Amino acid sequence: MIYLTRKEHFNAAHKLARPDWSEEKNIEVFGKCANHNWHGHNFELYVTVKGTPNPETGFVIDLKKLSVIIREHIVEALDHKNLNLDVPFMQGVMPSTENLAIKIWEILSPLVEAEGCHMHCIKLYETQNNFVEYFG
Amino acid sequence: MIYLTRKEHFNAAHKLARPDWSEEKNIEVFGKCANHNWHGHNFELYVTVKGTPNPETGFVIDLKKLSVIIREHIVEALDHKNLNLDVPFMQGVMPSTENLAIKIWEILSPLVEAEGCHMHCIKLYETQNNFVEYFG
Amino acid sequence: MIYLTRKEHFNAAHKLARPDWSEEKNIEVFGKCANHNWHGHNFELYVTVKGTPNPETGFVIDLKKLSVIIREHIVEALDHKNLNLDVPFMQGVMPSTENLAIKIWEILSPLVEAEGCHMHCIKLYETQNNFVEYFG
Amino acid sequence: MIYLTRKEHFNAAHKLARPDWSEEKNIEVFGKCANHNWHGHNFELYVTVKGTPNPETGFVIDLKKLSVIIREHIVEALDHKNLNLDVPFMQGVMPSTENLAIKIWEILSPLVEAEGCHMHCIKLYETQNNFVEYFG
Amino acid sequence: MIYLTRKEHFNAAHKLARPDWSEEKNIEVFGKCANHNWHGHNFELYVTVKGTPNPETGFVIDLKKLSVIIREHIVEALDHKNLNLDVPFMQGVMPSTENLAIKIWEILSPLVEAEGCHMHCIKLYETQNNFVEYFG
Amino acid sequence: MIYLTRKEHFNAAHKLARPDWSEEKNIEVFGKCANHNWHGHNFELYVTVKGTPNPETGFVIDLKKLSVIIREHIVEALDHKNLNLDVPFMQGVMPSTENLAIKIWEILSPLVEAEGCHMHCIKLYETQNNFVEYFG
């Protein structure tokens, strides 16, 4: 079993605030992340798949194909977007890094399976100093 | 003459779009950066000052003092903010990285002079792949 | 289950040398790290906790709270200190990166549990080219 | 159990192309990586071993010894070499990053065992945006 | 005057060896870089242009346009290529990082001028530990 | 004229404190850096030389030779050392990053001249967030 990771990135705006809470409570819980007028990040996304190398090519998966899958289904939907307003699969979901990683897994996992390997990990950096990992 | 650089960072939302242009023209000129609902970045700011080391301390400037100046006057104003809506010194200014670097210079330069050294360069990363430098 | 990581850093001096060994034996075993007059590093610390995201906030743990815990209990004790002389919890312990990571785990684990999630990994870089990981 | 990682690097040329396939098929499957005249990379190699710290030294393994093992047996064989032509242990093997990582594991694992600890992971970066991991 | 930098990268093979010298002399002068069967690198290219921001857009140059220019004229010609054999503008030129940077300047400078700004610097990393800069 | 940079690194301990000042005054001026028992850093050193590429080799200077010069004259003297106690050329000098960069320039400049090129810049990182540059 070999684990292969591809890194992609996207830039997006978001805010962390519940519409069913007062602004005071949102600021108390989410701090500066609740800023009414949004803030944003350069997100770095690491997608790790696992499988056995194909004996003819030595590849777990064609990296270019993996990159295209991530770009078409994730980067296209998130890059230069507002995670709260512009992204269909994040509607009704608090756009924390945790929840975003889970949603990315749910979208990519069947696409990766269709290529003959398995999703292992979604690792998502929000800043240089914090990231989340989800293993399904 | 010694050049001393301090790195700080802030996360902000912005969009590049002129209110006096149509949405079509804004998208034609600014592309995805014109997204109506904003996008954002992890900005990295490098402030370089120059001077002669103090013979007693060996310092061009006390780094902690420089860091406090940058945080109080720049990071406080920009971090987790919307560059178009929330920042007084960016009102009426297109929030390109170029213009933001110039504004940061204008604010920091007299504060650095007051500490006995000179501003040399504002270097501002918008993403890992592009940055601007301004030397006054 | 989601894994969340926070990065902090501290600068410290140490030496690797046993007082019950001769200087010759210390140099033979520990090389330059046994230098009598100390040397030092910029340590980078990655603390990974795991848990299920809170349904209201989307957070495994409030990152700011995790950062405060690490800074108050670890960075405060280690930053700009001598690991052999200045750190109560390292007394009588060889300050290898391995042993330092274990001690950091022992201190942080109950504090993280008290916040409703679990410690998963302490990853500690001594230089850009070597680091240790401890999973309890 | 503590996991210790050492990073080394080497620069090498390779191409991905099967001699039993036509040039057209090689380009169709391997794309630019099939370029007849080779291309190359700065490979970054992370070797992770695991064990219990020695009570006298606090070390899982002497890092300098681990570095010497990697340099003598891997870097010496791969640095400034052509992976298809110059490397005895890659003869007859498609030099994908996946296959190279497996071969490195096979060489290093017994050498690490002889030092009293266990191989845990070979992580090999081909570019900043893709890497593989092999756990045996 | 504002300086704007765009980073791109390419992977290539090369060797440093003069055909009019013996293999012994080539190895004496160029060391491992003279390996007959080539070696390679992940090159990182930083292109810095300078100009005054357009008052309407705040841009020195449209970054996407700059990126397209670099990719079409430089990356397309060098990526996954052999610098000695495959690159028309390197024919008869020793493919040192120094000479490659000069050639990249010569190609890009008129293209950047045609966009209304000036070339300032070509910075080219061959490895993480060495790079060259050329200012024309 | 081409500028060539080589990066090296060393790990050292130091403290910033004047023996002719009281401990109170040292702490007031130097803060945590005055810790009596030392602290330390992973210093990163960038040495930039300038010259015209040799027409036969394409080199401003043989990088391996430059690396050997830096290692023998600087890294050997500073690595795993105490900058206040162990380094002859720092005796009587406050070991600030500014002063250390100046001393490194003074040592390397004639050695680089002897190789037929000129010293351009010493850039020295003390931490990821601060560095100094000296141009003679």
Side-chain angles (χ1 to χ4, degrees):
Chain A
M1 187 74 78
I2 281 269
Y3 297 75
L4 178 83
T5 299
R6 176 72 190 174
K7 177 186 171 191
E8 301 285 348
H9 59 93
F10 55 91
N11 310 316
H14 75 156
K15 73 175 160 189
L16 301 182
R18 294 184 63 87
D20 55 336
W21 286 0
S22 68
E23 183 143 2
E24 290 70 30
K25 181 156 185 198
N26 275 317
I27 286 172
E28 182 198 323
V29 172
F30 295 110
K32 292 185 296 184
C33 298
N35 177 33
H36 181 69
N37 285 329
W38 321 97
H39 66 284
H41 297 289
N42 302 334
F43 290 90
E44 294 193 357
L45 171 63
Y46 292 78
V47 176
T48 303
V49 303
K50 61 185 173 187
T52 45
N54 177 305
E56 283 198 319
T57 63
F59 285 172
V60 166
I61 187 174
D62 181 348
L63 254 182
K64 279 182 297 297
K65 198 171 287 182
L66 178 58
S67 176
V68 166
I69 289 171
I70 303 170
R71 290 183 188 207
E72 281 185 0
H73 295 270
I74 304 297
V75 175
E76 187 73 19
L78 300 175
D79 190 34
H80 283 73
K81 294 290 169 61
N82 182 308
L83 301 181
N84 303 62
L85 301 180
D86 294 334
V87 183
F89 63 78
M90 292 300 288
Q91 292 311 301
V93 181
M94 174 66 62
S96 68
T97 319
E98 288 92 330
N99 284 341
L100 186 54
I102 293 170
K103 287 292 177 186
I104 292 171
W105 172 289
E106 290 173 355
I107 292 167
L108 290 181
S109 184
L111 299 168
V112 160
E113 296 280 337
E115 294 295 327
C117 59
H118 304 285
M119 182 67 70
H120 175 65
C121 182
I122 297 296
K123 181 178 181 177
L124 186 59
Y125 273 80
E126 192 183 57
T127 75
Q128 283 191 330
N129 295 324
N130 57 282
F131 61 84
V132 303
E133 291 162 294
Y134 182 60
F135 298 87
Chain B
M1 188 75 79
I2 281 270
Y3 297 74
L4 177 84
T5 299
R6 176 72 190 175
K7 176 187 172 191
E8 301 285 347
H9 59 93
F10 54 91
N11 311 316
H14 74 157
K15 71 174 161 189
L16 301 182
R18 293 183 64 87
D20 55 336
W21 286 359
S22 68
E23 183 144 1
E24 290 68 30
K25 178 152 186 202
N26 275 315
I27 286 172
E28 181 198 324
V29 172
F30 296 111
K32 291 185 298 183
C33 298
N35 177 33
H36 180 69
N37 286 328
W38 322 96
H39 67 284
H41 297 289
N42 303 334
F43 289 90
E44 294 194 357
L45 171 64
Y46 292 77
V47 176
T48 303
V49 302
K50 61 185 173 188
T52 45
N54 178 305
E56 282 198 318
T57 62
F59 286 172
V60 166
I61 187 174
D62 181 348
L63 253 182
K64 280 182 295 297
K65 198 170 287 181
L66 179 58
S67 176
V68 166
I69 289 171
I70 304 170
R71 290 186 188 205
E72 282 186 0
H73 295 270
I74 304 298
V75 175
E76 187 74 18
L78 299 176
D79 190 34
H80 283 73
K81 294 289 168 60
N82 183 309
L83 300 181
N84 302 61
L85 301 179
D86 295 333
V87 183
F89 62 79
M90 292 300 287
Q91 291 312 300
V93 181
M94 175 67 61
S96 68
T97 319
E98 287 91 330
N99 284 340
L100 185 54
I102 293 171
K103 287 291 178 187
I104 291 171
W105 172 288
E106 290 173 355
I107 292 167
L108 289 181
S109 184
L111 299 168
V112 160
E113 296 281 336
E115 294 296 328
C117 58
H118 303 286
M119 182 68 70
H120 174 66
C121 182
I122 296 297
K123 182 177 180 178
L124 185 60
Y125 274 81
E126 192 182 59
T127 75
Q128 284 191 330
N129 295 326
N130 58 284
F131 60 84
V132 304
E133 291 162 294
Y134 182 59
F135 298 86
Chain C
M1 188 74 79
I2 281 268
Y3 297 75
L4 177 83
T5 299
R6 176 74 191 172
K7 177 186 171 192
E8 301 285 349
H9 59 94
F10 54 92
N11 310 316
H14 74 156
K15 73 174 159 189
L16 302 182
R18 294 183 63 87
D20 55 336
W21 286 0
S22 69
E23 182 144 0
E24 290 69 32
K25 180 154 185 198
N26 275 316
I27 286 171
E28 182 198 323
V29 173
F30 296 111
K32 292 184 297 183
C33 298
N35 177 32
H36 180 69
N37 285 329
W38 322 97
H39 67 283
H41 297 289
N42 302 334
F43 289 90
E44 293 193 357
L45 172 63
Y46 293 77
V47 176
T48 303
V49 303
K50 61 185 173 187
T52 45
N54 178 305
E56 282 198 319
T57 62
F59 285 172
V60 166
I61 188 175
D62 180 349
L63 254 182
K64 279 183 295 297
K65 199 171 284 180
L66 178 58
S67 176
V68 167
I69 289 171
I70 303 170
R71 290 184 187 206
E72 281 185 1
H73 295 270
I74 303 298
V75 175
E76 187 73 18
L78 299 175
D79 190 35
H80 284 73
K81 295 290 169 61
N82 183 308
L83 300 181
N84 302 62
L85 302 179
D86 295 333
V87 183
F89 63 78
M90 292 300 288
Q91 291 312 299
V93 181
M94 175 66 63
S96 68
T97 319
E98 287 92 330
N99 285 340
L100 185 54
I102 294 170
K103 287 292 178 186
I104 291 171
W105 172 288
E106 290 172 355
I107 291 168
L108 289 182
S109 183
L111 300 169
V112 160
E113 295 281 336
E115 294 295 327
C117 59
H118 304 285
M119 181 68 70
H120 174 66
C121 182
I122 296 297
K123 182 177 180 177
L124 186 59
Y125 274 81
E126 192 183 57
T127 75
Q128 284 191 328
N129 295 325
N130 58 282
F131 61 84
V132 303
E133 291 162 295
Y134 182 60
F135 298 87
Chain D
M1 187 74 79
I2 281 268
Y3 297 75
L4 178 82
T5 300
R6 176 73 189 172
K7 177 186 171 191
E8 302 285 349
H9 59 94
F10 54 92
N11 311 315
H14 74 157
K15 72 174 160 190
L16 302 182
R18 294 184 63 87
D20 56 337
W21 286 359
S22 68
E23 183 144 0
E24 290 69 30
K25 179 154 186 198
N26 275 318
I27 286 171
E28 180 197 324
V29 171
F30 296 110
K32 293 185 295 183
C33 298
N35 177 31
H36 180 69
N37 285 329
W38 322 96
H39 66 283
H41 297 289
N42 301 335
F43 290 91
E44 294 193 357
L45 171 63
Y46 293 77
V47 176
T48 303
V49 303
K50 61 186 173 187
T52 45
N54 178 305
E56 282 197 320
T57 62
F59 285 172
V60 166
I61 188 174
D62 181 348
L63 254 182
K64 280 182 295 297
K65 199 170 287 181
L66 179 58
S67 175
V68 166
I69 290 171
I70 303 170
R71 290 185 189 207
E72 281 186 1
H73 295 269
I74 304 298
V75 175
E76 187 73 18
L78 300 175
D79 190 35
H80 283 73
K81 294 290 169 60
N82 183 309
L83 300 181
N84 302 63
L85 301 179
D86 294 333
V87 184
F89 61 78
M90 293 299 290
Q91 292 311 300
V93 181
M94 174 66 63
S96 67
T97 320
E98 288 91 331
N99 284 340
L100 185 55
I102 293 170
K103 286 292 178 187
I104 292 171
W105 172 288
E106 290 173 355
I107 292 166
L108 289 182
S109 183
L111 299 168
V112 160
E113 297 280 336
E115 294 296 327
C117 58
H118 304 286
M119 182 67 71
H120 174 65
C121 181
I122 296 296
K123 181 177 180 177
L124 186 59
Y125 274 81
E126 193 183 56
T127 76
Q128 283 191 329
N129 296 324
N130 57 283
F131 60 84
V132 304
E133 292 162 294
Y134 182 59
F135 298 87
Chain E
M1 187 74 79
I2 280 269
Y3 297 75
L4 178 82
T5 300
R6 176 73 190 174
K7 178 187 171 192
E8 301 285 347
H9 59 93
F10 54 91
N11 311 316
H14 74 157
K15 72 174 159 189
L16 302 182
R18 293 184 63 87
D20 55 336
W21 286 0
S22 68
E23 182 143 1
E24 290 69 31
K25 179 155 186 200
N26 275 316
I27 287 171
E28 183 198 323
V29 172
F30 296 110
K32 292 185 296 183
C33 299
N35 177 32
H36 180 71
N37 285 329
W38 322 96
H39 67 283
H41 297 289
N42 303 334
F43 290 91
E44 294 193 358
L45 171 63
Y46 293 77
V47 176
T48 303
V49 303
K50 61 185 173 187
T52 44
N54 178 305
E56 282 198 319
T57 62
F59 286 172
V60 166
I61 188 175
D62 180 349
L63 254 181
K64 278 182 296 298
K65 199 171 287 180
L66 179 58
S67 175
V68 166
I69 289 171
I70 304 170
R71 290 185 188 207
E72 281 184 1
H73 295 269
I74 303 298
V75 175
E76 187 73 18
L78 300 175
D79 190 35
H80 283 73
K81 295 289 168 59
N82 183 308
L83 300 181
N84 303 61
L85 301 179
D86 294 333
V87 183
F89 62 79
M90 293 299 289
Q91 290 313 299
V93 181
M94 175 67 62
S96 68
T97 320
E98 287 92 331
N99 285 340
L100 185 54
I102 293 170
K103 287 292 178 188
I104 291 171
W105 171 289
E106 290 172 354
I107 293 167
L108 289 182
S109 184
L111 299 169
V112 160
E113 296 281 337
E115 294 295 327
C117 59
H118 304 285
M119 181 68 70
H120 174 65
C121 182
I122 297 296
K123 182 177 180 178
L124 185 59
Y125 274 79
E126 191 182 59
T127 75
Q128 284 191 328
N129 295 325
N130 58 283
F131 60 85
V132 304
E133 291 161 295
Y134 182 59
F135 298 87
Chain F
M1 188 74 79
I2 280 270
Y3 298 75
L4 177 82
T5 300
R6 176 72 189 173
K7 177 187 172 191
E8 301 285 347
H9 59 93
F10 55 91
N11 311 316
H14 75 156
K15 72 174 160 190
L16 301 182
R18 293 184 64 86
D20 55 336
W21 287 359
S22 68
E23 182 144 1
E24 289 69 31
K25 179 154 187 201
N26 275 316
I27 287 171
E28 182 198 323
V29 172
F30 295 111
K32 293 185 296 182
C33 298
N35 177 32
H36 181 70
N37 285 329
W38 322 97
H39 67 284
H41 297 288
N42 302 334
F43 289 91
E44 294 193 357
L45 172 63
Y46 293 78
V47 177
T48 303
V49 304
K50 60 185 175 189
T52 44
N54 178 304
E56 282 198 319
T57 62
F59 286 173
V60 167
I61 188 175
D62 181 348
L63 254 182
K64 279 183 296 297
K65 200 171 286 180
L66 178 58
S67 176
V68 166
I69 289 172
I70 304 170
R71 290 185 188 207
E72 280 185 1
H73 295 270
I74 304 297
V75 175
E76 187 74 16
L78 300 175
D79 190 33
H80 283 73
K81 294 290 168 59
N82 183 308
L83 300 181
N84 303 62
L85 301 179
D86 294 334
V87 183
F89 62 79
M90 292 300 288
Q91 291 312 299
V93 180
M94 174 67 62
S96 67
T97 319
E98 287 92 330
N99 285 339
L100 186 54
I102 293 170
K103 287 292 178 187
I104 292 171
W105 172 287
E106 289 172 356
I107 292 167
L108 289 182
S109 183
L111 299 168
V112 160
E113 296 282 336
E115 293 296 329
C117 57
H118 304 285
M119 181 70 69
H120 174 67
C121 182
I122 296 296
K123 181 177 181 178
L124 185 59
Y125 274 80
E126 191 183 60
T127 75
Q128 283 191 330
N129 295 325
N130 58 283
F131 60 83
V132 303
E133 290 162 294
Y134 182 60
F135 298 86

